[in-house]
């Protein structure tokens, strides 16, 4: 703030933070600068003395879409300012969509509309950096999906800030020359690969630490070898695997910094508020947050965090999350897997938090062939038979100890349905979540033993369009 004042800056506009920066904003005002805060984190009771605090979680805010992300708020502000000057800018929705997906915004309401607009912009963008990202991350660059952005584009951009310099990602997004963008993309790919390796190591260590404290209560873990930029990834992965709230922390200079992720039954904002006595800083929203503490306060924080109840708050609706639990939207036999079903599912896109891609439980498939693929053989590729037809199935990140299904065996699958193009040919593909032998499958009770095809429900009765 002092540096900006010395440079003659008159207005500071924040993005995705600032609602708790009372001290910094007071200093800015003292130095003659106006501050506009745009933030989507839960603000304190006493707001900072800014010209405006734009935050849909303010208690006095009546805006109908409280789930906008920081990127979504920035998009709305930028669009409004441009409109007032009778102009516009390309790719704003594309950038906002990437931010909404990166921040795991509920794919409903205004965020959903922004993502739909943004994916359309990404498909036709002439921006060299965005075109390069889409080419590397999308299964079909002419039709990028929210999955492509979430699992391909976002991790590449985030890698720069996690283990290198966030300016690398920014430089790519503002690059105008193709040659410059290509050089930055190549550098970013290297950083992304290094981040993946560091993440694998950090998560493996997190699993070791978590195994020392079994149970369902909230869990606080610390390893001072963890890069601070990976804490959210570690906490998120372990929270998903263990179905319990996880705080992952590391020592940064003289303070302990941490990130918290949790299942839907646990409000992270309330959790950090309850542990405020042991923290020097905190912020976030219901599903994710961050904090700082002194090294001396860490042990007390671990005890306080671990003692918090589940659900939190205790009257929170819904059942507690359980490890490895999968919600199935539709149970059907393999003969109903066709392009018509895929078209209906695609009509529900884009998918994301609070609007998940439909998960199918499929019975009556026969393994044609199955093999391990990938550099570390951690993926499973299968060709499945349904009558005289075949379709592909792929499972990513499979446990290396899990046996590979034998050709000719009957298995039940839990998967999402998609398409892939190989050598110019479009094929249906199942993206596997789980599978089991038909003889031992939990779905065996759903199969109507001995029922003829004519006795089974017609396809329309199983459709998900409604």
């Amino acid at each position: 703030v002092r540096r900006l004042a010395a440079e003659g800056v008159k207005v500071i506009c924040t993005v995705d933070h600032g609602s708790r920066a009372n001290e910094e904003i007071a200093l800015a005002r003292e130095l003659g600068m106006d501050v506009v805060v745009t933030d989507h984190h839960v603000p304190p009771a006493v707001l900072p003395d800014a010209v405006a605090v734009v935050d849909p979680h303010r208690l006095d805010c009546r805006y109908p879409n409280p789930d906008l992300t920081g990127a979504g708020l920035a998009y709305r502000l930028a669009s409004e300012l441009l409109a007032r000057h009778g102009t516009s800018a390309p790719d704003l929705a594309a950038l906002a969509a990437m931010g909404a997906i990166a921040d795991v915004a509920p794919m409903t309401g205004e965020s959903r509309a922004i993502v739909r607009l943004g994916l359309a912009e990404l498909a036709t963008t002439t921006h060299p950096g965005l075109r390069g990202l889409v080419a590397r991350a999308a299964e079909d660059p002419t039709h990028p999906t929210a999955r492509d952005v979430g699992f391909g584009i976002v991790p590449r951009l985030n890698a720069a800030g996690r283990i290198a310099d966030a300016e690398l990602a920014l430089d790519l997004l503002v690059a105008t020359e193709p040659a410059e963008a290509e050089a930055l993309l190549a550098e970013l790919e290297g950083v992304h690969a290094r981040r993946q390796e560091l993440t694998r190591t950090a998560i493996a260590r997190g699993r070791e630490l978590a195994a020392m404290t079994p149970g369902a209560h909230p869990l606080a873990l610390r390893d001072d070898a963890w890069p601070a930029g990976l804490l959210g990834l570690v906490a998120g992965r372990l929270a998903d695997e263990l179905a319990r709230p996880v705080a992952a922390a590391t020592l940064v200079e003289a303070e302990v910094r941490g990130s918290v992720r949790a299942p839907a039954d646990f409000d992270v904002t309330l959790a950090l508020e309850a542990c405020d006595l042991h923290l020097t800083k905190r912020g976030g929203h219901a599903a994710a947050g961050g904090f700082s503490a002194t090294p001396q306060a860490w042990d007390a924080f671990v005890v306080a965090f671990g003692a918090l109840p589940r659900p939190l708050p205790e009257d929170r609706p819904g059942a507690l999350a359980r490890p490895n639990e999968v919600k199935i939207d539709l149970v059907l036999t393999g003969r109903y897997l066709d392009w018509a079903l895929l078209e209906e599912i695609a009509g529900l896109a884009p998918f994301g938090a609070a609007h998940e891609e439909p998960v199918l439980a499929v019975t009556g498939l026969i393994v044609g062939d199955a093999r391990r693929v990938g550099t570390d053989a951690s993926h499973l590729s299968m060709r499945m038979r349904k009558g005289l037809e075949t379709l592909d199935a792929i499972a990513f990140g499979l446990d290396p100890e899990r046996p590979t299904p034998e050709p000719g065996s009957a298995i039940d699958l839990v998967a999402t349905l998609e398409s892939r193009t190989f050598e110019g040919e479009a094929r249906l593909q199942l993206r596997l979540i789980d599978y089991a032998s038909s003889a031992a499958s939990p779905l065996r009770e759903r199969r109507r033993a001995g029922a003829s095809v004519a006795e089974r429900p017609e396809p329309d009765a199983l459709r998900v369009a409604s």
Side-chain angles (χ1 to χ4, degrees):
V1 170
R2 294 185 188 279
R3 178 175 59 80
L4 293 173
E7 293 175 358
V9 170
K10 296 301 181 184
V11 179
I12 296 175
C13 182
T14 75
V15 174
D16 204 24
H17 73 116
S19 58
R20 292 181 176 270
N22 298 54
E23 182 180 344
E24 293 87 343
I25 291 172
L27 174 62
R29 296 296 293 266
E30 180 184 321
L31 295 174
M33 291 184 287
D34 289 337
V35 180
V36 175
V37 171
T38 70
D39 198 357
H40 79 127
H41 296 98
V42 177
V46 179
L47 296 173
D49 185 24
V51 170
V53 178
V54 185
D55 189 328
H57 292 289
R58 286 179 54 160
L59 293 178
D60 59 349
C61 181
R62 297 186 299 274
Y63 193 69
N65 288 279
D67 292 325
L68 275 177
T69 62
L73 285 168
Y75 168 68
R76 291 304 309 275
L77 177 60
S79 299
E80 179 68 20
L81 290 172
L82 289 167
R84 290 187 181 189
H85 290 275
T87 186
S88 61
D91 302 317
L92 285 189
L95 296 173
M98 294 185 329
I101 294 168
D103 219 11
V104 198
M107 200 63 68
T108 57
E110 196 166 359
S111 288
R112 177 176 173 81
I114 289 172
V115 170
R116 287 180 69 94
L117 287 171
L119 292 175
E121 286 189 1
L122 282 174
T124 60
T125 181
T126 59
H127 184 286
L130 293 178
R131 284 178 63 86
L133 286 168
V134 171
R136 286 164 169 77
E139 176 75 21
D140 179 1
T142 65
H143 293 89
T145 65
R147 184 199 291 273
D148 294 330
V149 174
F151 291 94
I153 292 177
V154 165
R156 285 171 167 80
L157 291 173
N158 275 347
R162 293 189 189 282
I163 65 169
D165 188 341
E167 293 287 331
L168 173 59
L170 178 60
D171 289 344
L172 175 64
L173 294 178
V174 299
T176 57
E177 296 298 325
E180 177 191 11
E182 191 58 37
L184 291 168
L185 282 163
E187 184 177 354
L188 195 61
E189 281 293 309
V191 173
H192 176 52
R194 190 161 72 251
R195 193 278 306 164
Q196 288 177 311
E197 182 57 38
L198 290 172
T199 302
R200 282 191 287 268
T201 301
I203 290 173
R205 174 59 177 161
R207 291 185 181 121
E208 293 176 1
L209 295 173
M212 300 177 189
T213 315
H217 58 278
L219 178 65
L221 307 173
R222 174 180 162 189
D223 188 325
D224 292 344
W226 284 337
L230 300 185
L231 295 175
L233 296 178
V234 173
R237 178 67 67 83
L238 294 178
D240 288 343
E241 291 182 0
L242 304 174
R244 58 194 291 196
V246 175
T250 191
L251 188 67
V252 180
E253 297 178 351
E255 69 176 3
V256 176
R257 294 183 190 171
S259 287
V260 184
R261 302 292 185 270
D265 61 69
F266 191 86
D267 189 309
V268 173
T269 300
L270 294 180
L272 293 177
E273 183 178 312
C275 299
D276 186 64
L277 178 65
H278 312 295
L279 305 176
T280 56
K281 293 180 183 178
R282 61 181 172 85
H285 45 77
F291 64 89
S292 296
T294 64
Q296 295 76 20
W298 170 252
D299 289 342
F301 169 76
V302 172
V303 173
F305 187 72
L308 293 172
R310 291 183 65 192
L312 182 71
E314 295 186 74
D315 60 351
R316 197 176 185 93
L320 292 183
R322 296 184 296 175
N324 302 316
E325 187 175 53
V326 178
K327 179 182 176 182
I328 292 171
D329 299 293
L330 180 65
V331 180
L332 71 169
T333 60
R335 74 189 189 95
Y336 294 127
L337 295 175
D338 55 24
W339 289 101
L341 177 60
L342 179 61
E343 184 177 352
E344 292 188 49
I345 292 174
L348 303 176
F351 301 111
H355 181 62
E356 306 285 349
E357 186 172 4
V359 174
L360 313 179
V362 187
T363 65
L365 293 178
I366 305 297
V367 178
D369 60 70
R371 57 192 177 91
R372 293 280 182 159
V373 296
T375 54
D376 56 354
S378 62
H379 312 320
L380 175 66
S381 175
M382 294 193 289
R383 181 67 60 85
M384 307 304 302
R385 296 203 312 266
K386 57 183 189 84
L388 299 177
E389 301 179 56
T390 64
L391 73 160
D392 300 326
I394 183 76
F396 294 102
L398 202 65
D399 183 349
E401 302 299 320
R402 188 164 187 176
T404 301
E406 293 291 333
S409 60
I411 63 174
D412 292 345
L413 307 175
V414 177
T416 57
L417 184 63
E418 60 189 20
S419 66
R420 64 183 289 264
T421 301
F422 181 69
E423 295 182 346
E425 179 187 2
R427 292 182 55 87
L428 287 175
Q429 176 173 273
L430 290 164
R431 185 181 292 260
L432 297 186
I433 299 170
D434 203 357
Y435 62 89
S437 165
S438 293
S441 166
L443 295 172
R444 63 186 181 278
E445 298 301 325
R446 298 293 299 267
R447 290 193 295 270
R448 298 169 58 189
S452 69
V453 171
E455 293 175 298
R456 295 176 182 170
E458 289 302 310
D460 288 346
L462 297 173
R463 297 304 194 198
V464 299
S466 60

